[in-house]
Amino acid sequence: MKSFLIKDFILLKQRKSFFMVYFLMIVAMIYTKNIVFFIDFFSILAMILAFSTMSYDSHDNGMVFLMTMPNARKNYARAKYALCGILLLASWVVPYLVKVVSSIKEYNMINIADILLDSIIIMPICILICSVMIPVMLKFGAEKGRLVLALGFGTLTIIAVVIMKTEILSNLFGLAILEVGNLFGFEILGIAACVVILIGLVVSIIISDKIMEKREF
Amino acid sequence: MIKIDGLKKKYKDFELDISMDIKEGTVTGLIGKNGAGKSTAIKAILGLIHPDAGSIKVMGDVPGKNMENIGAAFSDSGMSMLYNINDISRIMHAMYDEFEEDKFKELCQKMELPFDKLLKDFSSGMKAKLKVLLTISHKAKLLVLDEPTTGLDVLARNEVMDMLRQYLEEDATRSILISSHISTDLEGLCDDIYMIDKGKIILHEDTDVLLGQYGVLKMSEKEFEELDKQYVTVSRKDSLSVTCLTNEKQYYIDNYPNIAVENSRIDDIIMLTLGGN
């Protein structure tokens, strides 16, 4: 897996435009108080970067050659999950470090904890995105995978809009969340949601392994 | 080294049905026209596709294992165009335990491949040389090359062939399976040749025999009717004459002095075998 990660990081260093945007956003972030937006932005950027490596791998029939490397079928998908994890972690740690260092007089532990609580929601969302995107892109290829996902998310959006517009359904949904939250506590609900997302990640990895085992190149 | 037994793979308009036996220390050519099944056979050997039936053993194991000891090159697939040679060297070092980084860089310099340019700026000759260089830089026991010289000029093709000859000289137990539709590449390198057409092996012979014992006979229709055809493998009638392929040209030289007997090249064998009766 390490070898495929190295391959991807070497590929990413070619994405100079991304790093330029990242650098400019970091500079902008130094002069703002609210870094939550930037952490969310960097997290999404990290996901896009990670998925772009799958597109590049597929260019010019590249997957055929890649799959002749040692242990390719087993390690290719897992390396993509690891890449997502590393980039996501970096999208958190780097802004915090930059902000703390640049505002060392203003910040204390309480403020950092507050920021942590505000920005933590993006992490499970990104894990969910990874868990869905990677197996879809592996199954359908990078280009078709994006189309499948756009259709899937589009359908979900339509269903969500219909639910929200239909007052009875949206009220029922809201009441259900309130009931469960009051029964178990909203913190427990939040933790349960995170556990479900992590289980989803494990299932996604298993599905990706199966896809890679069966796929033909 | 490679044992294929009754391998079947069906696609919509095509079915592969082959058996092959490639021994250790040999160079085997796989020749056929476009769409004959060469690439499908090679992909099956490398574990890139799953057979519908039959068995394949590569170095005693199922395809896809032992890739550390196999070097593969394809005419239409390779490393991402966004890498340069230094990047590729780092990647190969991470991928293969036995990657010989110094030797790889030395060979790249010898082949005049630029280290600082991205692959997308390489010429087709440079890309082809690099692909073969990658296969011979990690002490692979088996090379599987799918049309490695396609699109190259004669000088570049010779350079690639020389690289392969040198690779073989280093270790007598190394083997190569090389597919091509350029027969001259195979004549100078291969110990034996499989000819494939419409998914089936139609000829398998040692190269020495193909070039030494096979011959092309040219005669009139009347001479053809009187000919002893026991050593005629294929014949083709034109408007004025009949051309035959024989696997025992000496017999016809000795017994039919009036018939024109020519030495055959692999191209002649392909033309007659695929176009004759």
Side-chain angles (χ1 to χ4, degrees):
Chain A
M1 189 172 81
K2 188 179 107 178
S3 48
F4 282 90
L5 265 175
I6 290 172
K7 175 194 79 60
D8 286 336
F9 277 114
I10 293 175
L11 190 63
L12 285 178
K13 81 172 170 62
Q14 298 292 346
R15 304 302 305 275
K16 294 184 174 67
S17 55
F18 264 102
F19 290 112
M20 186 59 72
V21 167
Y22 197 84
F23 175 73
L24 289 170
M25 295 295 280
I26 288 274
V27 168
M29 187 193 72
I30 291 169
Y31 297 100
T32 62
K33 282 203 182 298
N34 178 11
I35 72 165
V36 174
F37 164 77
F38 290 94
I39 288 171
D40 291 352
F41 180 82
F42 292 143
S43 300
I44 299 297
L45 200 66
M47 296 295 98
I48 293 172
L49 262 181
F51 301 143
S52 73
T53 63
M54 293 177 77
S55 294
Y56 280 112
D57 288 340
S58 303
H59 277 178
D60 299 320
N61 209 19
M63 286 296 286
V64 172
F65 178 68
L66 275 179
M67 289 301 115
T68 64
M69 300 275 166
N71 303 312
R73 281 188 191 265
K74 197 173 113 188
N75 289 325
Y76 180 80
R78 289 176 183 216
K80 295 302 176 193
Y81 286 99
L83 181 68
C84 284
I86 291 167
L87 291 178
L88 200 54
L89 202 61
S91 69
W92 262 50
V93 168
V94 170
Y96 272 124
L97 283 176
V98 168
K99 197 62 179 166
V100 163
V101 165
S102 67
S103 315
I104 202 102
K105 286 180 193 171
E106 293 175 50
Y107 271 75
N108 56 41
M109 284 306 295
I110 295 165
N111 282 346
I112 289 171
D114 283 346
I115 293 165
L116 193 68
L117 278 170
D118 285 341
S119 58
I120 205 162
I121 190 69
I122 195 68
M123 192 67 97
I125 291 174
C126 285
I127 292 173
L128 185 63
I129 292 172
C130 255
S131 302
V132 173
M133 282 288 281
I134 291 176
V136 168
M137 287 178 85
L138 287 175
K139 176 77 180 168
F140 296 104
E143 302 303 322
K144 273 190 204 161
R146 275 199 288 272
L147 190 61
V148 165
L149 278 163
L151 284 170
F153 279 120
T155 309
L156 283 171
T157 307
I158 291 169
I159 292 171
V161 164
V162 165
I163 289 175
M164 299 312 280
K165 290 284 182 197
T166 317
E167 281 189 27
I168 295 170
L169 277 174
S170 63
N171 288 341
L172 271 171
F173 186 70
L175 274 168
I177 297 282
L178 268 171
E179 279 298 318
V180 174
N182 288 330
L183 197 62
F184 298 106
F186 284 97
E187 295 86 1
I188 301 289
L189 195 63
I191 291 168
C194 289
V195 167
V196 166
I197 285 172
L198 284 172
I199 291 171
L201 177 64
V202 170
V203 169
S204 170
I205 293 171
I206 292 170
I207 290 172
S208 293
D209 278 349
K210 288 268 174 245
I211 291 171
M212 286 306 291
E213 206 181 305
K214 291 198 162 102
R215 192 171 154 187
E216 296 192 332
F217 300 92
Chain B
M1 188 60 96
I2 302 175
K3 183 119 176 78
I4 301 176
D5 200 3
L7 165 69
K8 284 188 169 61
K9 179 68 180 175
K10 196 169 167 59
Y11 292 106
K12 197 175 147 199
D13 300 322
F14 172 81
E15 184 173 2
L16 187 77
D17 182 0
I18 60 169
S19 295
M20 290 171 74
D21 188 2
I22 294 158
K23 303 249 182 291
E24 187 181 88
T26 60
V27 182
T28 298
L30 183 60
I31 196 157
K33 51 188 187 186
N34 292 335
K38 304 187 295 296
S39 297
T40 307
I42 280 178
K43 283 184 177 180
I45 288 165
L46 293 169
L48 296 172
I49 59 174
H50 305 298
D52 296 329
S55 75
I56 308 175
K57 285 271 187 252
V58 181
M59 290 190 281
D61 214 332
V62 292
K65 307 284 177 193
N66 260 318
M67 296 312 287
E68 183 76 43
N69 293 314
I70 299 175
F74 303 88
S75 61
D76 62 350
S77 177
M79 283 281 192
S80 169
M81 295 289 117
L82 296 181
Y83 295 123
N84 60 31
I85 284 182
N86 286 320
D87 295 333
I88 289 170
S89 181
R90 277 197 286 275
I91 293 167
M92 291 293 285
H93 182 76
M95 292 279 184
Y96 293 94
D97 293 338
E98 300 279 356
F99 178 62
E100 297 170 292
E101 192 164 354
D102 293 336
K103 178 185 167 185
F104 171 68
K105 287 185 173 173
E106 200 184 298
L107 284 169
C108 286
Q109 270 174 338
K110 193 176 158 194
M111 293 290 150
E112 294 175 349
L113 299 179
F115 277 61
D116 51 350
K117 266 191 188 172
L118 298 182
L119 290 199
K120 65 183 171 86
D121 298 323
F122 276 30
S123 67
S124 53
M126 286 176 178
K127 285 177 193 167
K129 285 183 217 174
L130 179 63
K131 285 175 191 175
V132 176
L133 272 178
L134 286 173
T135 64
I136 63 173
S137 298
H138 58 92
K139 297 186 183 172
K141 298 289 285 175
L142 169 68
L143 298 191
V144 180
L145 309 173
D146 188 12
E147 303 196 14
T149 59
T150 298
L152 298 187
D153 60 51
V154 66
L155 288 171
R157 283 205 334 254
N158 280 340
E159 281 183 295
V160 168
M161 290 293 130
D162 283 342
M163 267 198 276
L164 295 175
R165 282 187 199 99
Q166 204 166 346
Y167 161 83
L168 291 166
E169 278 166 20
E170 287 169 8
D171 184 343
T173 63
R174 287 174 175 170
S175 308
I176 300 179
L177 171 64
I178 176 169
S179 81
S180 181
H181 54 266
I182 303 170
S183 53
T184 44
D185 285 349
L186 304 188
E187 277 173 14
L189 188 70
C190 296
D191 299 308
D192 63 325
I193 289 176
Y194 283 87
M195 197 176 296
I196 186 169
D197 186 44
K198 291 178 186 151
K200 291 184 173 33
I201 301 291
I202 54 171
L203 177 70
H204 172 225
E205 194 62 88
D206 286 350
T207 313
D208 290 341
V209 170
L210 284 173
L211 298 176
Q213 283 176 221
Y214 277 62
V216 176
L217 312 175
K218 292 188 176 171
M219 68 205 81
S220 65
E221 278 199 49
K222 186 166 181 288
E223 284 168 327
F224 180 68
E225 277 161 33
E226 292 162 4
L227 189 76
D228 175 2
K229 297 178 184 64
Q230 65 173 312
Y231 298 116
V232 170
T233 58
V234 160
S235 62
R236 190 181 72 200
K237 286 184 185 170
D238 299 324
S239 50
L240 296 171
S241 62
V242 179
T243 308
C244 300
L245 181 69
T246 174
N247 54 9
E248 284 293 344
K249 68 180 176 197
Q250 196 57 47
Y251 174 78
Y252 293 98
I253 290 171
D254 294 337
N255 295 289
Y256 293 89
N258 294 329
I259 287 175
V261 180
E262 295 171 0
N263 294 327
S264 63
R265 310 303 304 180
I266 298 206
D267 273 342
D268 300 318
I269 297 169
I270 294 170
M271 293 281 287
L272 284 167
T273 307
L274 298 182
N277 301 312

